[in-house]
Amino acid sequence: MPPGIESAAAERPSTPATAAPPATAASPAAGSPRKARTAAWPALVVGFAVAAATLGLWQALLAQERSQTERTVALSLETVRNEISSRMDSRILALVRMARRWEMRGRPPRPEWEADANFYLSHDAGYVAIARVEPDLRVSLIMPQDAGRGLQGAELVGGRQRGALETARARGDVTLTHPFSFSTSDRAIMVNVPVFQGEAFDGFIVGVFRVQAALATILGQSIAPHHGIVVFDGGEELYRRDWGAGRSTEDWSQETGVQLGGVTWRVRVSPQEELIEQRSPLPRAALTGGLALALLLALTVRFAQVARLRARETDSANQALTRVIAEHQHAHDRLRKLSRAVEQSPTMVIISDLQGAIEYVNPKFTQVTGYAFDEVMGKNPRLLKSGETAPEEYQRLWQTITAGGEWRGVLRNKKKNGELFWVRSAISPIRDAQETVTHFLAESEDVTEHKRLEQQVTEHNREMAESEALAAMGRAASMIAHDLRNPLSSIKMGLQILSRKPAQGGTAAEQELLEISQGQVRYMEEVLSDLLSYSLPDALKPEWLSMEKLLDTALMLSQKEVVEHKVRVKTHYQPGLPLLHGDANKLRQALTNLIVNGAQAAGARESANPTLVIDARLSLGVADRPSIQVEICDNGSGIASEHADRVFEPFFTTRAQGTGLGLSIAKRIIDQHQGSIRLQPEHPGGTRVTVVLPLEAIRNRNGA
């Protein structure tokens, strides 16, 4: 049975048993009620008098404490008002000083203006942007430059902001706008500072603040501790701070106004319940003692009445006790069934207190996670966290259940032995008879197998789609090879014949055109070759190879690109490298593609010393599996972060020429050899390509 249920069941019959007095407790005074009432009149009068005096004293003490609390709230309100006024004035004065420097020195150069703006943006929390608005209300400068993603230039001069700008120009003084929607969850205000060159108006400096962020920075934890703070602009709430877990007591709240650039903010400060409850024990002691004395005197009369009624109440109490015992037995049976259902549930059940400390887990939890009940008792469920769920998701979960709602979702957790597993969870609050949340209940189902099957289906569908796309590409490539290669060979042959004839009246331009045509024909042949290589992969023809010879041959085949881009090549082969089992032609093609890419990247960068470094060495790899690791490093411009995940996609390229198949073909060849390839940025610049090829025989890896 879950913790708390058994104790509640055990305590339930105690109330009626106490309320019903025993049948043998009848008072002998029941036979003379009139005499008892007569003797009790003096005590009753004294009791009322003492109670009245006690209440008067208690009211006086409470009034004194209330006055002291109101003074504390008023002091906190003045502190908050002064803090908002001074800190916001400092931000406004910073913009005013910027405008005055502009007036005294004339318009600053753009770099100097941007440096000043960036300085304020970085030193004051809550800033969104600082902009310069021309006299014709045209926004000429705005910092930061990417502010347009959340703030359009038209918003700086449109709507109610236009009226605020006109007011600032007419008054020659700073104006603030009312809040406007900056994003779906945030509000912002604008500070408009007019600028004059002598008597001539010369535009505005406009600062944009996030109200929440600015006020959160101003009203830190040291400002009015143990008080709730709310800031309004008219009827709109700009900022709210609830201190700690307690709620603000609105009956004790006080308000004041803050004038800022023609706009009045209302500030309300409310003491927390814990501050109200921290009172002197004297009023309570006086009230308790006085009322206790009055009660004791009044009980004299009550005892006389109870003695007379006890005999009649005994029978009815016994009957009620019998009914309560029957109800208790029925409730006990229901709780026993509920407990068995939870114990035998096929889902994991966790019950925790309001702080998240575990109070109960069912056997299914132990079966799935490996943690016994004693190991998790009193601990937080975060011990199951795998680290793969975003903190924001846990924050939404906690906010939902603490607000009284139910959270449902799928999480990836970790068992006691470190194994990861998926659960589909539903977490909801448990309430008592007064609808107060007392505990949290989590029901979780292990869906690891479902997730695995879904992933297999997704992977199978992806492979089928790739196979279909590859088959379609193969048919298209075959058609291209059939329809274009023969005409392309004829063109190439004609160009070669023309190039061998001695020039007879031909110009240098014609000769250059002939060379360009031959180069384009060669380029088209390379494109066709790449298409056929990628779309029509053939089976491996493995043999035992020397990695040094493979790299030297690939370098020789890449010599044209190396010389053309003036790249200096450095090689370092670890002596005594073992033989590698693989397809010589395919590995040579993959290495050639990688070397050509590196040479092109190093030569494309404007560097005085384009360099390509090729390193080959023996590596133990993962689980002591020996392999050969080849690294090809260039000092080019590197890979842009937005392209890092797409470099191996077919037909993806950032160059003006090329099919974008070089890296795709290389990766597929490495995958065929059960190896791995990855690209990493090289410091201070360039790219490092790492290829790892296992030394095992291919037939063994394929299971032959």
Side-chain angles (χ1 to χ4, degrees):
M1 182 178 293
I5 295 181
E6 290 182 331
S7 61
E11 293 174 2
R12 183 171 180 178
S14 62
T15 302
T18 304
T24 60
S27 172
S32 55
R34 182 178 299 275
K35 183 177 180 180
R37 286 198 298 271
T38 302
W41 274 112
L44 189 61
V45 172
V46 173
F48 281 126
V50 172
T54 300
L55 289 175
L57 176 61
W58 178 64
Q59 289 289 348
L61 293 174
L62 286 182
Q64 181 180 3
E65 284 194 350
R66 183 178 184 90
S67 176
Q68 182 178 359
T69 302
E70 288 176 348
R71 287 196 298 272
T72 302
V73 175
L75 180 61
S76 298
L77 177 64
E78 185 64 16
T79 301
V80 171
R81 188 191 71 82
N82 291 338
E83 194 70 14
I84 294 177
S85 178
S86 62
R87 297 286 292 276
M88 286 301 297
D89 280 343
S90 68
R91 286 165 167 78
I92 295 172
L93 288 175
L95 294 174
V96 171
R97 287 195 297 272
M98 186 177 179
R100 297 300 170 260
R101 289 198 303 272
W102 185 357
E103 292 174 348
M104 295 174 61
R105 299 172 50 193
R107 292 196 176 191
R110 182 184 182 120
E112 181 180 343
W113 193 92
E114 292 180 348
D116 281 355
N118 280 325
F119 175 81
Y120 293 130
L121 288 171
S122 62
H123 281 74
D124 284 331
Y127 257 119
V128 176
I130 298 179
R132 189 170 75 187
V133 179
E134 301 297 334
D136 58 356
L137 301 185
R138 175 175 51 85
V139 179
S140 60
L141 288 172
I142 183 169
M143 292 296 297
Q145 296 295 335
D146 60 349
R149 292 184 298 180
L151 181 67
Q152 302 296 329
E155 293 178 301
L156 295 170
V157 297
R160 291 186 294 177
Q161 164 67 354
R162 182 180 291 270
L165 291 172
E166 294 297 335
T167 301
R169 179 176 183 173
R171 291 169 47 190
D173 198 0
V174 178
T175 62
L176 265 71
T177 64
H178 294 287
F180 66 95
S181 294
F182 171 66
S183 65
T184 56
S185 61
D186 207 350
R187 305 283 286 169
I189 60 171
M190 297 188 190
V191 178
N192 306 308
V193 182
V195 182
F196 294 88
Q197 294 292 340
E199 297 295 326
F201 174 68
D202 196 29
F204 304 88
I205 290 179
V206 178
V208 186
F209 295 87
R210 285 189 182 92
V211 181
Q212 283 279 359
L215 290 177
T217 303
I218 293 173
L219 302 176
Q221 297 182 356
S222 61
I223 305 301
H226 306 294
H227 288 76
I229 302 173
V230 187
V231 182
F232 299 89
D233 185 353
E236 180 180 2
E237 181 178 307
L238 299 180
Y239 172 80
R240 175 179 290 272
R241 189 194 76 183
D242 292 324
W243 186 273
R247 298 189 301 272
S248 300
T249 306
E250 296 296 332
D251 294 342
W252 297 77
S253 64
Q254 299 185 24
E255 289 191 6
T256 187
V258 179
Q259 292 286 341
L260 296 169
V263 175
T264 301
W265 288 356
R266 289 188 299 117
V267 180
R268 179 187 297 167
V269 173
S270 306
Q272 298 295 319
E273 289 181 347
E274 60 184 20
L275 188 64
I276 302 300
E277 293 173 355
Q278 293 176 358
R279 301 179 178 178
S280 170
L282 181 60
R284 185 176 299 175
L287 177 64
T288 303
L291 292 180
L293 178 60
L295 180 62
L296 288 175
L297 295 175
L299 283 177
T300 304
V301 178
R302 181 59 182 166
F303 284 153
Q305 296 173 340
V306 169
R308 186 179 62 182
L309 298 176
R310 182 159 301 185
R312 287 182 301 175
E313 291 177 348
T314 301
D315 292 337
S316 60
N318 288 334
Q319 295 174 2
L321 181 59
T322 303
R323 289 194 300 270
V324 169
I325 292 175
E327 292 176 358
H328 171 71
Q329 184 62 38
H330 180 65
H332 179 75
D333 292 340
R334 291 181 60 190
L335 290 176
R336 179 178 55 80
K337 294 176 184 178
L338 177 61
S339 175
R340 291 297 182 186
V342 172
E343 292 285 336
Q344 300 172 11
S345 173
T347 61
M348 294 179 286
V349 177
I350 305 174
I351 299 177
S352 70
D353 62 15
L354 296 180
Q355 285 70 42
I358 295 176
E359 295 186 357
Y360 171 80
V361 295
N362 68 342
K364 186 66 176 179
F365 175 88
T366 301
Q367 177 186 345
V368 173
T369 65
Y371 287 102
F373 175 68
D374 294 339
E375 293 178 296
V376 299
M377 179 66 177
K379 295 184 179 179
N380 194 285
R382 69 169 62 95
L383 63 86
L384 299 175
K385 289 175 62 175
S386 64
E388 296 188 7
T389 302
E392 294 78 10
E393 183 65 25
Y394 289 115
Q395 186 176 5
R396 284 193 294 270
L397 183 157
W398 188 251
Q399 290 174 348
T400 300
I401 62 177
T402 52
E406 181 182 19
W407 180 90
R408 292 179 178 269
V410 178
L411 300 172
R412 195 171 195 191
N413 290 338
K414 184 169 63 175
K415 300 181 181 180
K416 181 180 179 180
N417 61 5
E419 180 183 349
L420 300 181
F421 67 106
W422 291 94
V423 292
R424 182 180 291 110
S425 299
I427 306 176
S428 56
I430 301 176
R431 304 176 186 273
D432 59 12
Q434 288 74 37
E435 292 299 315
T436 301
V437 177
T438 61
H439 294 80
F440 295 121
L441 170 67
E443 298 178 85
S444 303
E445 178 186 2
D446 186 356
V447 294
T448 304
E449 185 64 18
H450 295 170
K451 280 283 188 180
R452 186 184 64 81
L453 293 176
E454 288 178 1
Q455 185 175 3
Q456 286 183 350
V457 171
T458 302
E459 183 66 21
H460 178 68
N461 292 338
R462 184 187 65 79
E463 291 177 355
M464 289 185 60
E466 289 183 355
S467 298
E468 292 175 0
L470 219 69
M473 188 183 300
R475 292 191 295 270
S478 297
M479 182 196 69
I480 292 172
H482 181 271
D483 292 346
L484 295 184
R485 273 200 165 179
N486 289 337
L488 194 62
S489 298
S490 300
I491 295 173
K492 181 178 180 181
M493 184 180 299
L495 292 174
Q496 289 174 347
I497 293 172
L498 290 175
S499 64
R500 294 194 189 104
K501 291 183 178 182
Q504 296 179 356
T507 64
E510 292 174 348
Q511 187 65 25
E512 182 181 0
L513 182 60
L514 184 62
E515 294 176 357
I516 293 174
S517 299
Q518 289 177 327
Q520 292 300 312
V521 169
R522 287 193 297 272
Y523 172 69
M524 292 175 67
E525 288 179 333
E526 293 174 359
V527 170
L528 288 175
S529 177
D530 284 348
L531 283 173
L532 290 174
S533 297
Y534 185 77
S535 60
L536 299 174
D538 50 358
L540 295 179
K541 298 177 181 178
E543 57 182 308
W544 290 102
L545 307 169
S546 169
M547 179 54 71
E548 296 95 326
K549 291 182 179 180
L550 279 176
L551 289 171
D552 289 339
T553 305
L555 270 173
M556 181 183 66
L557 295 175
S558 310
Q559 194 63 26
K560 178 178 175 295
E561 292 288 341
V562 171
V563 173
E564 180 181 344
H565 291 90
K566 301 178 181 179
V567 177
R568 186 162 61 99
V569 179
K570 299 179 181 179
T571 60
H572 179 266
Y573 307 151
Q574 182 179 344
L577 287 176
L579 295 180
L580 175 72
H581 197 240
D583 189 312
N585 292 330
K586 287 184 174 293
L587 288 176
R588 190 181 302 116
Q589 181 183 8
L591 294 172
T592 301
N593 287 351
L594 297 177
I595 292 173
V596 168
N597 272 2
Q600 291 175 348
R605 185 179 180 185
E606 296 181 0
S607 173
N609 188 21
T611 304
L612 191 67
V613 179
I614 303 175
D615 179 84
R617 60 180 177 271
L618 182 65
S619 173
L620 290 180
V622 181
D624 293 335
R625 292 179 58 195
S627 60
I628 293 180
Q629 179 172 311
V630 179
E631 293 184 349
I632 302 174
C633 306
D634 64 73
N635 61 347
S637 56
I639 303 171
S641 57
E642 63 269 19
H643 299 152
D645 296 333
R646 302 187 59 194
V647 291
F648 291 114
E649 290 184 8
F651 305 107
F652 174 77
T653 180
T654 58
R655 299 193 178 97
Q657 288 188 340
T659 60
L661 292 173
L663 288 178
S664 302
I665 293 172
K667 185 178 187 306
R668 189 173 61 193
I669 292 173
I670 300 302
D671 290 342
Q672 282 182 299
H673 287 76
Q674 299 298 313
S676 65
I677 179 172
R678 69 178 185 274
L679 272 67
Q680 296 173 294
E682 182 73 1
H683 298 289
T687 304
R688 176 188 298 271
V689 181
T690 303
V691 176
V692 179
L693 294 168
L695 292 176
E696 302 173 8
I698 292 179
R699 62 175 180 275
N700 293 333
R701 293 198 299 270
N702 293 338

